[in-house]
Amino acid sequence: MPVATYEYRCVDCGRFEVRLPIGTATPACDCPECHRPAARVFSSPYLSRVPPAVAAALGREERSQEAPEVVTSVPPKRRPPPPHPALSRLPRP
């Protein structure tokens, strides 16, 4: 039987995950720390397991919905990258 990871949040202990067969999660589950009922949290799958750079980008995107960054000046012109060394060995017309 396929298994899914469900997330719950305890008022005192915080979030925790429980692996259960798909479709068997209940609206509340006992906290493994304090054994009090914890409410189920609906979250996107695997967002807590993304690389730090992706997590930072997702955080910036989420913050920009409420408080977007304001550009106050034109960014400096970037220099083109230096040519690849192999290009100098190519025949020229």
Side-chain angles (χ1 to χ4, degrees):
M1 179 173 256
V3 177
T5 302
Y6 296 96
E7 188 174 1
Y8 290 87
R9 181 179 356 186
C10 175
V11 176
D12 296 327
C13 306
R15 293 180 182 232
F16 63 93
E17 295 179 344
V18 177
R19 293 180 54 85
L20 298 168
I22 291 177
T24 62
T26 57
C29 177
D30 289 340
C31 174
E33 301 280 326
C34 66
H35 305 289
R36 294 176 69 190
R40 183 172 170 195
V41 177
F42 292 92
S43 58
S44 300
Y46 298 111
L47 285 183
S48 62
R49 295 177 186 92
V50 297
V54 175
L58 289 171
R60 278 193 311 274
E61 187 271 336
E62 189 172 325
R63 285 189 305 274
S64 72
Q65 294 175 5
E66 296 295 323
E69 294 179 13
V70 178
V71 178
T72 58
S73 63
V74 177
K77 190 172 184 178
R78 295 190 324 186
R79 294 185 194 181
H84 193 278
L87 294 177
S88 65
R89 295 191 301 265
L90 291 174
R92 301 283 175 216

